[in-house]
Amino acid sequence: MSMEEDLPGTGDQKKFLYVNRRAPYGTIYALESLEVVLIGAAFDQDVSLAFFDDGVYQIVKDQDTSGIGMKNFSPTYRALGDYEVTRLYVEKESLEERGLTPDDLMEITYEDEDDDWAEKPSVRLVSRAELSEVMAEQDVILSF
Amino acid sequence: MSMEEDLPGTGDQKKFLYVNRRAPYGTIYALESLEVVLIGAAFDQDVSLAFFDDGVYQIVKDQDTSGIGMKNFSPTYRALGDYEVTRLYVEKESLEERGLTPDDLMEITYEDEDDDWAEKPSVRLVSRAELSEVMAEQDVILSF
Amino acid sequence: MKFGILVNEGPYTHQASDSAYQFTKAALEKGHEIYRVFFYNDGVNNGTRLTVPPQDERNIQVNWSELGEKYKLDLVVCVAAAQRRGILDESEAKRHGKNADNIAPGFRISGLGQLIETGIECDRVVAFGD
Amino acid sequence: MKFGILVNEGPYTHQASDSAYQFTKAALEKGHEIYRVFFYNDGVNNGTRLTVPPQDERNIQVNWSELGEKYKLDLVVCVAAAQRRGILDESEAKRHGKNADNIAPGFRISGLGQLIETGIECDRVVAFGD
Amino acid sequence: MLHTVNKSPFEKSTFESCLNHARPGDAVLLIEDGVYGAVKGTAVSGQVAKFNGDLKLYALGPDLAARGIKDASLMEGVSVVDYGGFVDLVAKHDVSQAWL
Amino acid sequence: MLHTVNKSPFEKSTFESCLNHARPGDAVLLIEDGVYGAVKGTAVSGQVAKFNGDLKLYALGPDLAARGIKDASLMEGVSVVDYGGFVDLVAKHDVSQAWL
């Protein structure tokens, strides 16, 4: 089977989705997933991130890890735009179950090169059903 | 503070409870907990085991690990009587939630030296409330 | 078909590495190609040659090394994850001033890019973890 | 009061070892005695000296070794759990025909009996895990 | 899409989240401790049954046997596969998502 | 007795099991990802509130701060302690049970 048959219509790119379902700090999965995303950004693929279940906790604002002796890696999410990672899907139902609103999340933005470098929000609030659609469109799903 | 103040009225013995809340094989905790119990048996303490939540799966009968390439360690529970570990508390509610009955469990027995070496069941079915009482009586609780 | 395998947990503690091994073996026996087995997170701990499991238990590292040898598998341990957890080959050990290394035969240490490449090159990626 | 500490997960992957370290430090600073820190399950992986964490991250092994040095702590790695996971001292390595060891300074390898003894001798046992 | 779930539904919310995000026609393969989710007459089986039919449920035979679960204990509609069958399921579906 | 819980109540059933097994007068200390269980207005907070009062709930401050949880977000009756306070709780109660 040749590669082309499996690829979507975007030339050589594959659609990569990084699924984030776990809270930060209690385990390393959030951090090491982010490290994959940063390295992966160099490969010119079509990249999205999904945050749902406890994964929404990863991008909550005002994280302060000074008391637990661990590095606060949350600022890195705000730098994703510089790596041309611009689509962060966040599930509404997961926020609601946790008593969170979009205002509790960090502001994560990117500069849209197709729109005169206008600053735009990277976070896209989606319903559970919409998130399912996003997952169904992917070529590779990496979940840590 | 001297040791004696903390000890129950059973001479030098402390009451040790090993809590088993996880299924076997998916993780190593059940096996490595059992290894602690076996070593601990040499120390002449007052030992009990509690099986609840997914821990009840550890003592389900007819385990056959030949297809997953792992060692079947379930026969070791049946040998606990030889190590004078004779009290295995199993929570009824945990069995029921999992669609299990006492008949689904291995027969685990011990020979009662105070009763002419009569063979008696080591498994004691207890309600959740009774199990809470058992936990409250302990000096050391080790949960893996 | 071309498969990529991702192993995210170490040996013995979680079944992940066992499951990945059984899957990889079955895929090879069905004639599929295994493009790469990538060890990430605690999965890097599968690549130490210093394990001494009880004699009546499987030896997970040896299983991987032997399967790798038989089918010429590319068993890649992520360098960043490996450094955090103390899995080093000779050159890594030297570079970081450590007086020992522990990488097992048939495993090699490389970058996370090899995981992305696996996603790009393979028809399917299958992950095993906690 | 006399405390025993049980650490059941390895460094970095779970917060357990960090929490145990912070607790132990706080207990010592309050004047309590730490009878022993026992490393079991994947916790044995805290005792390898081969880790090379990123420079802007804490070094969990060094934290334990330094705390142990300062307060003369008994840092015990379970031998059975350590063998499964490839943590060896010089004599263990020799005994099993391995050409390297990886135990970190201040840690010692011993049997599970040391955990039971901790339960017997201590006023309190506090466990940290997954 | 093929979803794999390896955690007990009594211990973790993974299986529930998978069921809530899978789409009609998707396949869900239960492996490792995930196979407990395939058993009938449990506290979660009613919940699972609601998705049965819309989704195709599979359970890994070697993991069932290891845990002493007999085929007669499985919910209706659950198909048992071995590691070879697992490979075939991966090959058959465009994408696999591991619910870790 | 002192119970410690280190897992998110949305991910694992540990906290629920702890609450169901603790006895009136016991203390429950939430640490690591367990601190999410101390937040009000969530899908589990109603369940937790039922035990509040019978049990004394604590949450570890450094773990709350790491996760961006403000004191104002906590359920009524939850006391925040630091690592020193954790040590004091262990010393105060005869036995500690870690719900791992």
Side-chain angles (χ1 to χ4, degrees):
Chain A
M1 167 189 265
S2 79
M3 287 300 299
E4 280 71 32
E5 290 173 21
D6 249 17
L7 289 179
T10 50
D12 276 346
Q13 289 191 328
K14 273 193 177 185
K15 289 171 82 72
F16 276 70
L17 178 71
Y18 296 93
V19 167
N20 297 281
R21 291 183 51 250
R22 300 202 247 208
Y25 309 118
T27 56
I28 203 171
Y29 303 106
L31 169 59
E32 291 195 329
S33 177
L34 193 52
E35 291 183 351
V36 180
V37 173
L38 295 178
I39 298 288
F43 281 77
D44 194 32
Q45 303 294 307
D46 181 44
V47 173
S48 304
L49 274 61
F51 296 86
F52 62 107
D53 294 345
D54 279 356
V56 299
Y57 287 134
Q58 295 178 21
I59 52 172
V60 161
K61 62 179 158 194
D62 298 333
Q63 298 176 29
D64 173 5
T65 59
S66 54
I68 60 170
M70 294 169 72
K71 186 183 159 189
N72 178 358
F73 60 93
S74 65
T76 308
Y77 295 101
R78 292 211 308 272
L80 285 173
D82 302 337
Y83 290 81
E84 292 177 54
V85 174
T86 63
R87 280 192 308 273
L88 277 60
Y89 296 100
V90 177
E91 189 188 86
K92 287 176 201 163
E93 286 86 344
S94 295
L95 289 177
E96 285 162 14
E97 285 163 8
R98 287 159 186 79
L100 297 171
T101 70
D103 284 346
D104 294 311
L105 305 180
M106 295 184 287
E107 270 193 71
I108 306 173
T109 61
Y110 70 102
E111 297 180 340
D112 187 350
E113 60 176 321
D114 298 331
D115 190 8
D116 199 21
W117 305 100
E119 196 170 344
K120 298 185 176 178
S122 300
V123 168
R124 301 171 186 210
L125 281 183
V126 291
S127 69
R128 183 164 290 167
E130 288 167 334
L131 183 63
S132 292
E133 299 286 330
V134 168
M135 291 196 276
E137 291 163 2
Q138 305 300 318
D139 298 305
V140 180
I141 300 180
L142 294 175
S143 177
F144 293 96
Chain B
M1 166 188 269
S2 80
M3 286 301 299
E4 280 72 32
E5 288 173 26
D6 250 17
L7 288 179
T10 49
D12 276 347
Q13 289 191 327
K14 272 193 177 185
K15 290 172 81 73
F16 275 70
L17 179 70
Y18 295 92
V19 167
N20 297 281
R21 292 183 50 249
R22 301 201 246 209
Y25 308 118
T27 56
I28 203 172
Y29 303 105
L31 169 59
E32 290 196 329
S33 177
L34 193 53
E35 291 183 351
V36 179
V37 173
L38 295 178
I39 297 286
F43 281 77
D44 193 32
Q45 302 294 307
D46 182 43
V47 174
S48 303
L49 273 61
F51 296 86
F52 62 108
D53 293 345
D54 279 356
V56 298
Y57 287 134
Q58 294 178 22
I59 52 173
V60 161
K61 63 179 157 195
D62 297 333
Q63 299 177 28
D64 173 4
T65 58
S66 55
I68 59 170
M70 294 167 74
K71 185 185 160 189
N72 178 358
F73 60 92
S74 66
T76 307
Y77 295 101
R78 293 211 308 270
L80 285 174
D82 302 337
Y83 289 82
E84 294 178 55
V85 174
T86 62
R87 281 192 306 275
L88 277 59
Y89 296 100
V90 177
E91 189 188 87
K92 287 176 199 163
E93 287 86 341
S94 294
L95 290 177
E96 285 163 13
E97 285 163 9
R98 286 158 187 79
L100 297 172
T101 70
D103 284 345
D104 293 312
L105 305 180
M106 294 184 289
E107 269 192 73
I108 305 173
T109 59
Y110 70 103
E111 296 179 343
D112 188 350
E113 58 177 323
D114 297 332
D115 189 8
D116 199 22
W117 305 101
E119 195 169 347
K120 299 187 174 177
S122 301
V123 168
R124 302 171 185 212
L125 281 183
V126 290
S127 68
R128 183 164 289 166
E130 288 167 334
L131 183 62
S132 292
E133 298 287 330
V134 169
M135 290 196 278
E137 292 161 2
Q138 305 300 317
D139 297 305
V140 180
I141 300 181
L142 294 175
S143 177
F144 292 97
Chain C
M1 220 178 236
K2 205 187 284 187
F3 285 65
I5 309 290
L6 177 58
V7 182
N8 292 336
E9 296 297 332
Y12 305 107
T13 304
H14 298 87
Q15 202 185 339
S17 182
D18 291 284
S19 297
Y21 171 78
Q22 300 288 354
F23 179 92
T24 302
K25 197 156 152 279
L28 289 163
E29 285 165 2
K30 279 183 170 275
H32 293 292
E33 176 190 345
I34 300 292
Y35 176 78
R36 179 171 294 146
V37 184
F38 193 84
F39 296 87
Y40 194 48
N41 302 138
D42 268 5
V44 299
N45 290 326
N46 288 287
T48 171
R49 68 173 183 276
L50 300 186
T51 57
V52 189
Q55 302 225 325
D56 58 349
E57 266 190 51
R58 78 258 186 232
N59 188 319
I60 296 179
Q61 171 260 307
V62 168
N63 279 352
W64 278 116
S65 289
E66 287 181 357
L67 196 70
E69 167 93 37
K70 180 171 176 186
Y71 289 97
K72 303 290 163 240
L73 298 181
D74 190 18
L75 306 177
V76 177
V77 170
C78 169
V79 62
Q83 286 179 354
R84 270 201 189 93
R85 293 165 179 89
I87 305 296
L88 304 174
D89 62 15
E90 208 182 323
S91 82
E92 279 282 307
K94 199 167 291 176
R95 194 151 68 88
H96 298 289
K98 302 286 185 181
N99 60 357
D101 70 80
N102 56 357
I103 193 89
F107 288 81
R108 69 184 177 93
I109 292 179
S110 189
L112 265 175
Q114 303 261 311
L115 171 59
I116 310 298
E117 199 184 274
T118 302
I120 294 171
E121 295 297 332
C122 290
D123 301 308
R124 302 287 184 272
V125 176
V126 189
F128 297 87
D130 178 25
Chain D
M1 218 175 237
K2 205 187 279 186
F3 285 76
I5 309 290
L6 177 58
V7 182
N8 292 335
E9 296 296 331
Y12 306 107
T13 303
H14 298 88
Q15 200 184 339
S17 182
D18 291 285
S19 297
Y21 171 78
Q22 300 287 353
F23 180 92
T24 302
K25 198 157 152 278
L28 290 163
E29 286 166 1
K30 278 184 171 275
H32 292 292
E33 176 190 346
I34 299 293
Y35 176 78
R36 181 171 291 147
V37 184
F38 192 85
F39 297 88
Y40 194 49
N41 301 137
D42 267 4
V44 300
N45 289 327
N46 288 287
T48 170
R49 67 172 185 276
L50 300 186
T51 57
V52 188
Q55 304 224 323
D56 57 350
E57 265 189 52
R58 78 255 185 234
N59 188 318
I60 295 179
Q61 172 260 307
V62 168
N63 280 351
W64 278 116
S65 289
E66 289 182 354
L67 197 69
E69 166 95 36
K70 181 172 175 186
Y71 289 97
K72 304 290 163 238
L73 297 181
D74 191 18
L75 307 177
V76 176
V77 169
C78 169
V79 62
Q83 285 178 355
R84 271 203 187 92
R85 292 165 179 89
I87 305 296
L88 304 174
D89 62 16
E90 208 181 322
S91 81
E92 278 283 305
K94 201 167 290 175
R95 193 151 70 87
H96 297 289
K98 301 287 186 180
N99 60 357
D101 70 81
N102 56 357
I103 194 88
F107 289 81
R108 69 183 177 95
I109 292 180
S110 189
L112 264 177
Q114 303 262 310
L115 171 58
I116 310 298
E117 200 184 273
T118 302
I120 293 171
E121 295 296 331
C122 290
D123 301 307
R124 302 286 184 273
V125 176
V126 189
F128 297 87
D130 178 23
Chain E
M1 196 186 314
L2 173 68
H3 307 265
T4 58
V5 174
N6 72 334
K7 286 291 173 284
S8 159
F10 304 102
E11 186 191 27
K12 280 192 112 177
S13 54
T14 319
F15 187 31
E16 189 187 346
S17 185
C18 169
L19 290 172
N20 284 329
H21 290 89
R23 285 153 37 109
D26 282 358
V28 179
L29 170 63
L30 301 170
I31 67 169
E32 302 177 0
D33 289 344
V35 297
Y36 293 118
V39 175
K40 67 183 173 191
T42 76
V44 303
S45 55
Q47 196 64 22
V48 178
K50 280 196 250 170
F51 294 89
N52 209 339
D54 271 357
L55 302 174
K56 184 75 197 90
L57 291 184
Y58 298 87
L60 196 64
D63 278 323
L64 290 167
R67 289 158 184 82
I69 304 171
K70 318 265 189 314
D71 284 3
S73 305
L74 299 180
M75 301 175 59
E76 223 176 308
V78 173
S79 303
V80 177
V81 297
D82 60 9
Y83 287 104
F86 184 176
V87 172
D88 292 342
L89 282 172
V90 171
K92 185 180 161 192
H93 295 87
D94 284 349
V95 185
S96 290
Q97 177 169 7
W99 288 76
L100 303 179
Chain F
M1 196 186 314
L2 173 68
H3 306 266
T4 59
V5 173
N6 73 335
K7 286 291 173 284
S8 160
F10 304 101
E11 187 190 27
K12 281 194 110 177
S13 54
T14 317
F15 187 30
E16 190 187 344
S17 185
C18 169
L19 290 172
N20 284 329
H21 289 89
R23 285 152 36 107
D26 282 0
V28 179
L29 171 62
L30 301 170
I31 67 169
E32 301 177 0
D33 289 346
V35 297
Y36 294 118
V39 175
K40 68 184 174 191
T42 76
V44 301
S45 54
Q47 196 64 21
V48 178
K50 279 195 252 170
F51 295 90
N52 209 338
D54 271 358
L55 302 174
K56 184 72 197 90
L57 291 182
Y58 299 87
L60 195 64
D63 278 322
L64 290 167
R67 290 156 182 84
I69 304 171
K70 318 269 190 312
D71 283 2
S73 305
L74 299 181
M75 302 175 59
E76 225 175 307
V78 174
S79 302
V80 177
V81 297
D82 60 10
Y83 287 104
F86 184 175
V87 172
D88 293 343
L89 283 172
V90 171
K92 185 181 161 190
H93 295 88
D94 283 349
V95 185
S96 291
Q97 178 170 7
W99 288 76
L100 302 180

